Every structure is written in structure tokens, then in C-alpha cells.
Amino acid sequence: TLEKLADLCAGRGITLQYHNHDFEYEMQDGERIMDYLLRANSSYLFELDTFWAGYAGVDPVKYMQELGERVQMIHIKDYLGIKDGEHRFAAIGTGTMDNAPIIRSARDMNKQWVIVELDNSPLTPMESARISIDNVRRILADDK
């Protein structure tokens, strides 16, 4: 299906981008499902959700480097853990996810977009957005 969709999009001047979650990193027939999906058709790009890749045990920085130009945008999140069976997220820089190396690598690799995604938060959406923006700017300004 992805192959057909990518071809249909390409025929109309649109580039399809696939956004992952954790299940695409499960192994099937000796390879990750995500690697199979990417190999199936080279005309679509990959929108890397760094949290879900990391949650599945894949190093998001190494994976982004391996895929090179195939990744033009990434998603970052920050994580608080699971509570009452539900994943809990937070503003960038206030949870357990080490986003600094991911953000710096995206900058160094000239990625077009670093998208902050927040599924839920203990703060209001605007407070979370402000804190996330401030922390992403701080990371980008830091030359560690």
C-alpha cells in the first residue's frame, strides 16, 4: 500500500513521508519492519519519531545518520513514564528523554524540521509549548 501511495503522490508532485511509532521496530523474518517499509520504495521519506524509535530500543541519532537524506524532519517528545497504563509526556527538557544529542544531530545534518510533539502534559498546552521552545533554543545555542 505504501508503495502505491508513494507512486500516486510522486505523480502529483507530492512527497509522502512515513511517521513511525514503536511497533515498526519489531523484528519480522530477521529484519525490522521499518527497514522493510523503507526498502519497499525509495520515493517516500521518513518522518522519524525519535521517542518511539528510542522506546523500541533503536538509537535515534544513529538511525537518523544511517538514513541520511531519507529523513527530512524529526519529531521529539519528552517522557514521564507510564501511569495508569497510559504513556505520560512532558515539555521538552522536563522529562527523562535526552533530546539534546538528537536536536544537535538534526541541526548538524541540516534537517528541515524538528517538530515538538506533545500527546499529553501535566501543564497547559501553552505552558508546555513555551517551555519546549525555550529548551530547544537553549540546546541549539549550547555548543557542547
Side-chain angles (χ1 to χ4, degrees):
T1 301
L2 275 175
E3 199 169 340
K4 290 176 186 174
L5 288 172
D7 290 342
L8 285 170
C9 288
R12 290 166 175 77
I14 299 168
T15 302
L16 178 68
Q17 294 203 26
Y18 186 91
H19 176 98
N20 67 282
H21 292 88
D22 61 328
F23 62 88
E24 289 97 342
Y25 295 99
E26 292 175 10
M27 298 296 283
Q28 188 170 25
D29 298 327
E31 73 175 323
R32 291 183 287 218
I33 295 169
M34 191 70 246
D35 294 335
Y36 170 80
L37 293 173
L38 288 168
R39 191 180 70 250
N41 187 314
S42 62
S43 69
Y44 61 87
L45 299 176
F46 180 45
E47 184 179 321
L48 176 61
D49 188 315
T50 60
F51 168 76
W52 287 117
Y55 188 80
V58 173
D59 180 327
V61 171
K62 285 183 182 177
Y63 203 56
M64 184 173 29
Q65 291 168 342
E66 286 173 21
L67 294 173
E69 292 300 312
R70 196 84 188 262
V71 176
Q72 291 298 313
M73 60 178 63
I74 64 167
H75 276 204
I76 58 173
K77 300 181 187 188
D78 216 331
Y79 191 59
L80 296 174
I82 297 175
K83 182 178 180 182
D84 299 326
E86 182 178 324
H87 290 284
R88 303 297 300 159
F89 298 97
I92 299 299
T94 64
T96 62
M97 187 87 179
D98 186 9
N99 281 297
I102 297 167
I103 293 167
R104 288 186 192 115
S105 291
R107 175 197 59 201
D108 295 345
M109 295 178 70
N110 297 314
K111 298 304 171 196
Q112 292 178 358
W113 291 90
V114 174
I115 301 163
V116 174
E117 184 176 4
L118 187 65
D119 298 23
N120 53 57
S121 174
L123 304 174
T124 68
M126 293 307 287
E127 289 172 311
S128 294
R130 181 189 54 76
I131 292 168
S132 294
I133 289 168
D134 290 346
N135 285 329
V136 169
R137 284 181 176 151
R138 181 185 50 75
I139 291 166
L140 288 171
D142 189 5
D143 288 329
K144 288 186 180 178

